[in-house]
Amino acid sequence: MNTPAPAVSSKVSFTCGTFRVRKPEDTWSIISPDLHKFGITRVADVTGLDSVGIPVAMAVRPLSQTLSVSQGKGRTLLLAKVSAAMEAIELWHAENIAAALSSFRATGAELDLPYAVADLESDPGSITGPRTPLRWVTGQALLSGRPVPLPQDTVSLAAKDPLTWRAAGLASTTNGLASGNNRAEATLHALYEVLERDAVARSQEGRARVDYVDPSTVDHDDCQTLITRLHTASCYVELSRIVSTGPVHCFTTRVWSEDFPVMAFGSGAHTHEDVALSRALTEAAQSRLTAIAGSRDDMTRFYDYVRLGLVDRPVPPADVQPWNSLPRTTTPTVSDLENEVHRLAQHLDSQGRTPIVVDLSSRDDFAVVKVVVPGLTMDPRARPAATAA
């Protein structure tokens, strides 16, 4: 085990498509010697399997309890490798929470919960309620620091016994699972993800307005470089902004090409619109390469679509707008990630949605957290009843 690095400040020191408190080469030097301790046997560059050229890497964990391959993307190959490795490390921590957290058994009705159990994301057909006996772990309310119990199933991704019948219940997902160079960075990226996925779910339900954007009019240089790469590879690119996502910008991207006729989807949220759009673009490239590489355990349907020719050429939306015509709000300066975590947590609290964080970290030189915001979801089918209107 490496000697733990000194506590890292929450001041932003890197802003290329993401806001980090360490440069990627410093993060890589910390995590790469110990990848095997998290079951990672290989971090591979798969960018060349596609014609687009946006960097994508994958990290392999053969003994994973969830997915054995994790993907990462970025504007550079090093960023993509760090992204892939940290995603695999996140999963390892979520699969192995028992050693780090104590748990207890109770019903929600027996606990002083600041939320309703029904507000937690559930599997379709869930029968879990306030009087269902559950195992719980203890997190913290982000703003107050108050201890708050969370059902263990909302935090843990440990493998379930396939021979044991379980009633439909609370969803176990990676939503809000994030890592970073310190706790503030990990928590901020978890909050961005929770807000992004809830915005996408609301747009799919028709509860959030979507503005389509002409990709050729985007005037952020780095984002336009990514769009140009996609167009040069003869890809159809569709951009949209989800309106009314609170304190963050949220964009989605769809990418399709004749040589791999599957619609790849990407989304991204961030305080800065160029970072949010960059994330959406690079995630679409990552989704495309994930399918092309054929290494994910859960994506067999992609190949059915390609083999059977089930995906038609996309039809561009009729109401595309120029980038500069989009309504804009003042973008706050993000120089300290701790302050940004506080700002987002204040916004959610003001909406009656208390963000709860569980620290899963096993080391001092980087952090892994799970953030749960009761009332928000990533799956329209699992929209909590309290927010379904």
Side-chain angles (χ1 to χ4, degrees):
M1 177 80 71
N2 288 345
T3 301
V8 61
S9 131
S10 291
K11 300 293 184 184
V12 174
S13 64
F14 184 82
T15 58
C16 178
T18 183
F19 280 36
R20 300 287 183 183
V21 300
R22 282 194 186 111
K23 295 178 180 178
E25 53 266 31
D26 295 332
T27 303
W28 185 249
S29 70
I30 289 170
I31 64 173
S32 58
D34 290 330
L35 293 179
H36 65 284
K37 295 179 179 178
F38 304 103
I40 301 171
T41 59
R42 184 185 184 202
V43 178
D45 174 13
V46 294
T47 311
L49 297 179
D50 197 1
S51 57
V52 172
I54 293 175
V56 175
M58 69 178 194
V60 182
R61 287 191 309 136
L63 299 180
S64 165
Q65 298 179 54
T66 51
L67 297 176
S68 59
V69 174
S70 299
Q71 280 72 32
K73 75 282 188 187
R75 293 186 186 172
T76 69
L77 178 57
L78 180 58
L79 281 169
K81 289 171 64 177
V82 169
S83 173
M86 292 302 281
E87 183 167 309
I89 288 170
E90 293 165 16
L91 288 173
W92 182 91
H93 281 80
E95 293 167 359
N96 294 277
I97 70 165
L101 300 172
S102 59
S103 65
F104 59 95
R105 192 169 181 84
T107 68
E110 296 171 323
L111 303 173
D112 182 22
L113 299 176
Y115 61 88
V117 173
D119 280 347
L120 297 170
E121 189 164 13
S122 301
D123 294 324
S126 171
I127 59 173
T128 299
R131 301 194 180 278
T132 305
L134 300 169
R135 294 211 68 82
W136 300 76
V137 296
T138 302
Q140 285 184 316
L142 261 182
L143 280 183
S144 69
R146 168 192 169 185
V148 179
L150 280 172
Q152 184 169 303
D153 279 351
T154 66
V155 179
S156 173
L157 294 178
K160 308 296 192 298
D161 184 351
L163 300 180
T164 301
W165 180 85
R166 298 174 71 245
L170 298 173
S172 298
T173 75
T174 61
N175 191 23
L177 178 65
S179 57
N181 289 292
N182 63 10
R183 176 166 162 162
E185 185 179 289
T187 303
L188 181 58
H189 286 275
L191 286 168
Y192 283 147
E193 181 173 81
V194 169
L195 288 165
E196 167 200 324
R197 290 180 172 177
D198 186 71
V200 171
R202 286 188 290 107
S203 72
Q204 292 171 345
E205 295 171 315
R207 300 195 310 117
R209 195 180 92 221
V210 175
D211 290 337
Y212 292 98
V213 184
D214 181 350
S216 67
T217 64
V218 174
D219 60 8
H220 287 291
D221 290 343
D222 290 335
C223 292
Q224 191 52 244
T225 297
L226 296 172
I227 293 168
T228 299
R229 285 189 177 185
L230 289 162
H231 282 160
T232 301
S234 301
C235 290
Y236 165 84
V237 181
E238 182 180 295
L239 304 182
S240 61
R241 185 183 71 165
I242 302 173
V243 184
S244 300
T245 55
V248 299
H249 300 277
C250 186
F251 290 90
T252 63
T253 304
R254 297 202 309 160
V255 173
W256 183 94
S257 67
E258 287 188 352
D259 60 349
F260 191 67
V262 171
M263 191 68 77
F265 179 83
S267 59
H270 198 273
T271 301
H272 287 236
E273 66 178 4
D274 60 318
V275 178
L277 179 56
S278 173
R279 286 183 173 181
L281 289 163
T282 54
E283 186 173 276
Q286 171 186 287
S287 298
R288 182 179 158 89
L289 255 169
T290 298
I292 291 172
S295 53
R296 273 277 290 263
D297 317 49
D298 59 342
M299 299 190 69
T300 55
R301 290 180 63 197
F302 266 91
Y303 300 96
D304 290 336
Y305 289 140
V306 174
R307 179 172 54 85
L308 300 174
L310 297 177
V311 181
D312 296 327
R313 176 181 290 275
V315 177
D319 52 347
V320 175
Q321 303 179 41
W323 173 261
N324 287 330
S325 71
L326 296 178
R328 284 184 164 76
T329 57
T330 303
T331 299
T333 300
V334 179
S335 58
D336 186 298
L337 300 190
E338 192 73 61
N339 293 340
E340 184 65 0
V341 168
H342 187 77
R343 186 178 78 90
L344 297 187
Q346 278 188 318
H347 168 80
L348 287 166
D349 260 24
S350 72
Q351 304 296 309
R353 303 299 182 201
T354 299
I356 304 158
V357 59
V358 181
D359 194 334
L360 303 178
S361 305
S362 62
R363 306 241 312 224
D364 295 326
D365 44 7
F366 62 83
V368 178
V369 302
K370 170 74 173 188
V371 169
V372 176
V373 183
L376 304 189
T377 187
M378 62 180 286
D379 184 350
R381 297 174 306 163
R383 174 68 59 184
T387 61

